[in-house]
Amino acid sequence: MDSTQTKALMTRERASPPLNVLLFGLGSRGDVHPFFALGQALQARGHHITFLTLGYFSEQARRLGFEVVEVGSADDYLKWALHPDLWHPRRGFRVMAEITRLISATIYREIEARYEPRRTLIVGTCSIFAARVAQEKLGVPLVTAVLQPALFFSTHESPTLQPFMAGINRYPRWVRRLAMGAAGLTMDRALGPAVNEFRASVGLPPVRNLCDWWFSPQAVVPLFPEWFAAPQPDWPANLRMASFPFYDGSNFAAPSEELAEFIASGDPPLVFTPGSGARNARQFFTASVEACRLLKRRGILLTPFEDQIPPLYDEVRHEPFVNLEWLLPRSAAMIHHGGIGTAADALRAGRPQLLMPMAFDQPDNAARLRRLGVGRSLAPRHFTGPRVARVLSALLESAEVASRCRDYANRLQGAMDLRVGCELIESLGG
């Protein structure tokens, strides 16, 4: 959330008594930072934020003034980031099931210990299954915040859940219905046993159709604009659209002098990242460095895991982390995995995007960016230096892509108000 957004929310009269909002930030940076922004917005309106996260993000959350509860350690985060199947398009759900089994009881206990009727509510994503169980078992009000439109298994405008489904909306609706039904069945088989084991442990019967059950029956807030994904007739009825929640990184360290000098010393660089949680990305970075050589362009490689960086030369440098709000306006293009947070940052900066989607919501985000005319995508097996160079060259030379990027960047200026989400949360608190 940027400074003007914070000031606007601080000067707005609060519409409800102070609440204790149990706010969940679990996942990689792209999953956690939007909840930093939402937490700041609610805090500015006078509410107390209890931020439940993994130890990897706890110090950053404390610096924002949140009360922090660790539901897993920093080592847990790194262990899951290291899992070889995490970004596999099918086996990744098994990793999610393992995580669900490990942390659900802890999350539930923390909610139960903090619940005060008419004073406490929960805000979290669909994947916080223990929060949905707590809403059902304890009666805690719950707002489901949806970061990615891929989580809505619509048969009207269907998400691209796998790369081979890129043309799914050209097929008849009965084909889309079969595809979404198969996706839901896959979800039930992969995650259902872990969810139902936990439900049984608190005395609840098993549930089916997870992709419907995981939305709160009280309130759903998609945190993306309608032009990115328009609501469909079969989305939840209790839904109110918001927009991308941008966290300004106000408690990040300033960019180093060396990086600032590098940026200022030549043409805007290409920025490459496979996501902050990607641990097995050496092929991605090797292709990225080769593409920079072929294009004779400068590059910045972003990852906290330095051991996956190949040998570099003077025009390409590695950084563990840089605030994208600062970096992207100074760049030429963003090359990334298709995470929704990174995609939103690049849209706001008005930069063309080349994506290498792997799993989960990434293929759908890539398909939507292609339809907006601001990016292209390559499958991981095609992400080689020469192909990356060719696609990037076409993107950077296209006047139409540049125009589309400017258009969507302009739409996001002044469209960062989280007021809708805050008011919906407050309405449940009473």
Side-chain angles (χ1 to χ4, degrees):
M1 186 177 65
D2 67 10
S3 58
T4 57
Q5 187 180 9
T6 304
K7 290 175 183 176
L9 286 160
M10 289 181 70
T11 56
R12 180 178 175 83
E13 183 179 356
R14 188 176 63 241
S16 71
L19 301 169
N20 181 25
V21 181
L22 307 183
L23 192 63
F24 283 88
L26 298 178
S28 64
R29 283 194 177 98
D31 302 300
V32 174
H33 286 181
F35 289 95
F36 282 167
L38 185 57
Q40 286 182 291
L42 289 162
Q43 192 176 57
R45 294 168 70 93
H47 304 297
H48 178 80
I49 304 301
T50 301
F51 201 81
L52 296 95
T53 190
L54 300 176
Y56 193 84
F57 298 100
S58 58
E59 183 54 36
Q60 193 176 351
R62 288 191 183 95
R63 290 200 297 268
L64 293 173
F66 303 156
E67 178 186 349
V68 175
V69 175
E70 293 186 9
V71 297
S73 67
D75 287 342
D76 288 331
Y77 173 84
L78 294 172
K79 177 183 71 175
W80 294 328
L82 281 165
H83 201 293
D85 290 340
L86 179 61
W87 298 112
H88 191 278
R90 294 183 303 279
R91 294 195 295 269
F93 290 107
R94 298 179 191 170
V95 182
M96 289 185 62
E98 177 187 344
I99 294 170
T100 297
R101 287 190 171 94
L102 288 172
I103 67 174
S104 288
T106 300
I107 290 173
Y108 185 86
R109 286 195 302 268
E110 295 293 349
I111 293 171
E112 188 175 32
R114 287 165 173 77
Y115 176 42
E116 300 176 47
R118 301 182 64 83
R119 170 86 172 88
T120 307
L121 57 83
I122 306 169
V123 181
T125 63
C126 301
S127 62
I128 315 298
F129 299 116
R132 178 69 176 87
V133 170
Q135 182 273 322
E136 190 174 340
K137 177 73 174 180
L138 305 174
V140 190
L142 170 66
V143 176
T144 300
V146 183
L147 298 177
Q148 306 97 338
L151 294 172
F152 297 109
F153 285 14
S154 174
T155 63
H156 291 269
E157 182 182 84
S158 298
T160 302
L161 300 175
Q162 298 287 348
F164 65 82
M165 295 173 63
I168 186 170
N169 288 301
R170 294 196 296 267
Y171 289 92
R173 190 176 172 200
W174 68 266
V175 175
R176 301 197 296 275
R177 188 179 292 113
L178 286 175
M180 294 300 101
L185 182 61
T186 299
M187 195 76 68
D188 283 350
R189 287 176 173 172
L191 299 175
V195 171
N196 285 323
E197 282 172 23
F198 178 66
R199 287 176 61 84
S201 74
V202 298
L204 289 177
V207 67
R208 296 179 62 187
N209 301 321
L210 286 183
C211 59
D212 292 326
W213 171 83
W214 62 19
F215 296 114
S216 169
Q218 295 168 306
V220 177
V221 181
L223 294 175
F224 46 81
E226 288 195 29
W227 51 259
F228 187 75
Q232 300 300 307
D234 51 356
W235 286 19
N238 58 342
L239 176 147
R240 288 184 66 186
M241 298 292 292
S243 188
F244 293 126
F246 291 111
Y247 170 56
D248 66 0
S250 54
N251 62 359
F252 291 146
S256 67
E257 290 185 11
E258 292 83 359
L259 176 60
E261 289 174 1
F262 177 81
I263 295 285
S265 65
D267 294 333
L270 305 170
V271 178
F272 299 85
T273 180
S276 61
R279 189 63 183 87
N280 302 293
R282 189 172 181 86
Q283 178 185 343
F284 174 90
F285 287 118
T286 299
S288 300
V289 173
E290 185 181 2
C292 288
R293 286 187 187 275
L294 292 170
L295 291 169
K296 297 181 171 56
R297 302 290 300 245
R298 306 191 312 150
I300 295 176
L301 314 182
L302 299 179
T303 178
F305 307 112
E306 186 174 6
D307 58 324
Q308 57 189 347
I309 297 295
L312 302 180
Y313 62 104
D314 289 345
E315 296 301 298
V316 179
R317 62 180 289 126
H318 163 249
E319 294 285 338
F321 173 77
V322 183
N323 181 5
L324 294 181
E325 185 184 33
W326 180 88
L327 178 60
L328 286 181
R330 296 166 171 81
S331 73
M334 185 72 192
I335 302 90
H336 63 105
H337 58 310
I340 191 66
T342 309
D345 281 322
L347 280 168
R348 179 171 58 158
R351 295 297 178 264
Q353 304 181 51
L354 172 58
L355 302 99
M356 188 194 76
M358 293 173 283
F360 304 124
D361 63 310
Q362 296 167 10
D364 186 61
N365 297 332
R368 294 179 189 278
L369 292 168
R370 288 196 303 271
R371 290 200 293 270
L372 293 178
V374 300
R376 297 274 302 278
S377 64
L378 287 171
R381 67 181 182 278
H382 295 148
F383 198 87
T384 62
R387 289 195 183 192
V388 171
R390 284 197 298 271
V391 176
L392 275 176
S393 179
L395 282 172
L396 293 167
E397 293 172 5
S398 171
E400 182 178 357
V401 169
S403 176
R404 293 287 185 92
C405 288
R406 286 193 299 270
D407 176 45
Y408 290 109
N410 289 334
R411 294 191 194 195
L412 287 173
Q413 302 309 312
M416 295 177 258
D417 187 6
L418 291 173
R419 176 181 55 82
V420 170
C422 289
E423 290 181 349
L424 184 59
I425 290 165
E426 289 168 345
S427 71
L428 288 183

